[in-house]
């Protein structure tokens, strides 16, 4: 195939995406339409392609051309495919590639909040969730446990960071998501009201004396429910809690007061998500 290029020059401009640009540079906040993200591993890349994401180039270990990435190579016949042995790729990127495959892709134009919510029964709202590992785990839980869409406040980490994508096993490409609020202050001032205006009851996952138990039948009876989870450590802002219809807690034992946000999301989505 004419588009397969063996790497001979580490300084080639085409390799900047993989070797020299940071994730924030790839995000390209000043020109979002030109943003790029990196998907890692054959399964994750395939999920991105299946979801309609557009590849820019591939970087892969030689043995995968006819191996694990064969189908991806065939689907990316119109873009450059850079290849080398595993040790060369590790030296180039600075880390060991998961299953020897990276794919640079165009960042999509995000849908509107209204578009995410219009047919949804269960959505998750993530307030200032900043850890990419947690973000990826939450997306994977959402995909598995009946959540229709995810809304992120402006300070939350971007789901298309490489580590987040990898931890999610590519489910960031399957669950529709977007940001809610132009700024965090805008979210705090208007976000809950906007969810109410679209017909959602809102439930804050928080520790509070008058919290409902997570299996309270009033929650399951809600036609449209937004499950709101807060940042690592501090949890939800008090203003968010005060604006919600319900505050919900997960019962704890042995003096443990709370769970990691990704673990809490799994329980919340299992109990409150769409039942299939």
């Amino acid at each position: 195939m004419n588009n397969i290029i063996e790497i001979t020059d580490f300084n080639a401009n085409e390799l900047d995406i993989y070797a020299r640009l940071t994730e924030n540079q790839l995000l390209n906040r000043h020109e979002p339409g030109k943003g790029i993200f990196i998907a890692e591993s054959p399964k994750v890349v395939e999920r991105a392609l299946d979801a309609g994401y557009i590849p820019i180039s591939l970087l892969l270990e030689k043995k995968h051309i006819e191996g694990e990435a064969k189908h991806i190579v065939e689907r990316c016949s119109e873009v450059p495919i850079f290849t080398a042995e595993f040790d060369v790729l590790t030296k180039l990127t600075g880390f060991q590639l998961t299953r020897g495959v990276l794919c640079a892709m165009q960042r999509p134009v995000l849908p509107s909040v209204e578009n995410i919510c219009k047919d949804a029964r269960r959505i998750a709202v993530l307030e200032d969730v900043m850890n990419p590992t947690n973000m990826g785990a939450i997306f994977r839980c959402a995909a598995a446990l009946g959540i229709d869409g995810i809304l992120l406040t402006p300070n939350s980490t971007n789901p298309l960071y490489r580590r987040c994508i990898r931890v999610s096993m590519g489910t960031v490409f399957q669950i529709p998501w977007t940001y809610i609020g132009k700024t965090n202050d805008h979210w705090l001032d208007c976000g809950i009201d906007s969810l109410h205006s679209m017909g959602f009851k809102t439930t804050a996952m928080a520790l509070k004396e008058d919290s409902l138990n997570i299996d309270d039948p009033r929650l399951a009876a809600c036609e449209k429910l937004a499950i709101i989870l807060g940042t690592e450590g501090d949890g939800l802002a008090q203003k968010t809690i005060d604006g919600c219809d319900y505050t919900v807690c997960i019962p704890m034992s042995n003096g443990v007061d709370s769970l990691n946000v990704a673990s809490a999301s799994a329980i919340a989505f299992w109990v409150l998500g769409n039942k299939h």
Side-chain angles (χ1 to χ4, degrees):
M1 298 177 71
N2 293 333
N3 62 324
I4 296 178
I5 304 162
E6 184 159 1
I7 295 169
T8 57
D9 179 9
F10 274 20
N11 295 316
N13 293 336
E14 296 89 345
L15 298 177
D16 285 349
I17 292 171
Y18 303 104
R20 286 169 286 277
L21 297 182
T22 67
E23 296 221 65
N24 279 332
Q25 287 173 318
L26 292 175
L27 180 60
N28 202 344
R29 293 181 187 276
H30 298 297
E31 294 184 87
K34 297 181 180 179
I36 295 168
F37 69 90
I38 304 292
E40 182 178 4
S41 87
K43 179 179 284 188
V44 169
V45 173
E46 194 141 31
R47 282 183 172 168
L49 293 171
D50 288 346
Y53 286 76
I54 299 172
I56 296 170
S57 66
L58 274 174
L59 180 75
L60 71 161
E61 191 179 349
K62 271 187 179 181
K63 70 177 184 181
H64 291 312
I65 294 173
E66 294 294 331
E68 288 191 54
K70 183 176 180 179
H71 296 305
I72 296 169
V73 169
E74 292 170 353
R75 294 178 69 175
C76 293
S77 61
E78 302 299 319
V79 302
I81 298 174
F82 301 103
T83 186
E85 299 295 346
F86 183 81
D87 290 346
V88 174
L89 296 181
T90 300
K91 184 178 178 182
L92 174 71
T93 62
F95 60 89
Q96 294 186 350
L97 278 64
T98 303
R99 304 239 178 233
V101 177
L102 296 178
C103 184
M105 294 184 149
Q106 294 179 16
R107 284 182 178 267
V109 175
L110 293 178
S112 67
V113 171
E114 291 74 17
N115 185 269
I116 295 283
C117 292
K118 66 179 181 181
D119 296 319
R121 292 188 62 251
R122 295 292 185 268
I123 61 168
V125 182
L126 307 184
E127 183 179 273
D128 299 358
V129 173
M130 300 176 185
N131 183 289
T133 299
N134 284 336
M135 182 68 75
I138 292 169
F139 265 84
R140 192 171 181 181
C141 292
L145 300 173
I147 299 301
D148 299 312
I150 295 179
L151 304 178
L152 313 169
T153 63
N155 284 351
S156 293
T157 195
N158 194 289
L160 294 183
Y161 283 152
R162 182 178 62 85
R163 182 167 180 77
C164 178
I165 295 170
R166 182 159 61 84
V167 171
S168 82
M169 288 299 295
T171 54
V172 293
F173 308 126
Q174 298 174 310
I175 295 288
W177 62 273
T178 196
Y179 286 94
I180 182 169
K182 297 175 183 177
T183 65
N184 254 44
D185 285 342
H186 184 240
W187 152 251
L188 290 172
D189 290 339
C190 307
I192 300 297
D193 286 343
S194 70
L195 293 171
H196 286 153
S197 72
M198 290 182 284
F200 284 90
K201 291 290 186 180
T202 52
T203 181
M205 300 297 298
L207 298 171
K208 200 176 173 186
E209 286 185 7
D210 59 349
S211 293
L212 299 180
N213 195 303
I214 194 167
D215 61 1
D216 190 291
R218 284 172 285 184
L219 301 171
C222 293
E223 181 63 27
K224 294 166 73 75
L225 185 66
I227 304 163
I228 307 177
L229 298 117
T231 186
E232 299 86 352
D234 293 334
L236 290 171
Q238 188 61 49
K239 194 168 186 178
T240 299
I241 296 171
D242 292 343
C244 284
D245 298 294
Y246 307 107
T247 304
V248 172
C249 69
I250 299 168
M252 300 285 163
S253 302
N254 297 315
V256 177
D257 64 353
S258 63
L259 295 173
N260 166 277
V261 65
S263 300
S265 78
I267 295 170
F269 299 163
W270 169 252
V271 177
L272 302 174
N274 293 310
K275 298 297 188 289
H276 298 290

